[in-house]
Amino acid sequence: DKVEPDVVIFAHIHRPMILRLENNKTLINSGAVSNTSDIINVNGKQYTYGSYLIIEGEYESKEISPITYNLVKFTYDTDEEAKRILATDMPNKEVAALELTTGQYFDRKGLHEEACRKESMGESNAR
């Protein structure tokens, strides 16, 4: 038989959300613990912050029982994480560090093509 879920949980969208639909269905995106596009303004300075999801309920219950969903958001030192990225031989590390600290994303396809071009010309570091 066709089973229709009441709750769908997904991730890798980098912006957390819980959305209750009119048909009594729920969509949840847990966000990301790092490299998020979720931005908070504190005293005039913008910070990105991570998030994760806590689900509480009766595990493997055969009966209908309550389930709660709690999105937890936290700030962390993105500048320090960016410094660690810049100290690696990661391709496009400057862009990755900028994305991490600003929460703004750049053209991944173009960056990938550039990295492949450099690799074919022998410009990249061996892994």
Side-chain angles (χ1 to χ4, degrees):
D1 291 28
K2 183 179 174 183
V3 176
E4 287 192 25
D6 294 319
V7 178
V8 175
I9 300 172
F10 56 100
H12 201 66
I13 306 298
H14 297 268
R15 184 162 292 181
M17 64 140 202
I18 297 178
L19 180 63
R20 186 76 166 173
L21 303 176
E22 290 179 13
N23 60 359
N24 212 24
K25 307 290 183 181
T26 303
L27 299 175
I28 301 173
N29 176 20
S30 60
V33 294
S34 178
N35 202 14
T36 178
S37 60
D38 212 357
I39 300 171
I40 186 172
N41 188 311
V42 178
N43 297 326
K45 187 171 190 286
Q46 287 190 332
Y47 297 90
T48 57
Y49 58 94
S51 63
Y52 58 92
L53 180 68
I54 297 175
I55 305 169
E56 294 182 286
E58 295 295 322
Y59 184 66
E60 292 187 357
S61 174
K62 303 294 183 206
E63 304 293 321
I64 294 177
S65 60
I67 298 175
T68 60
Y69 311 96
N70 185 18
L71 277 172
V72 179
K73 296 182 179 186
F74 59 91
T75 58
Y76 62 100
D77 192 341
T78 53
D79 291 335
E80 184 61 33
E81 188 174 351
K83 286 178 190 174
R84 289 183 185 142
I85 289 171
L86 292 171
T88 71
D89 66 347
M90 180 176 135
N92 304 308
K93 62 187 175 185
E94 294 82 7
V95 173
L98 189 59
E99 286 180 346
L100 179 70
T101 56
T102 64
Q104 297 177 14
Y105 290 87
F106 301 94
D107 178 14
R108 296 273 180 199
K109 183 178 180 213
L111 293 172
H112 176 72
E113 289 169 354
E114 179 184 340
C116 289
R117 182 184 55 75
K118 285 182 178 180
E119 187 173 298
S120 70
M121 297 172 65
E123 295 178 32
S124 67
N125 294 333
R127 293 185 185 242

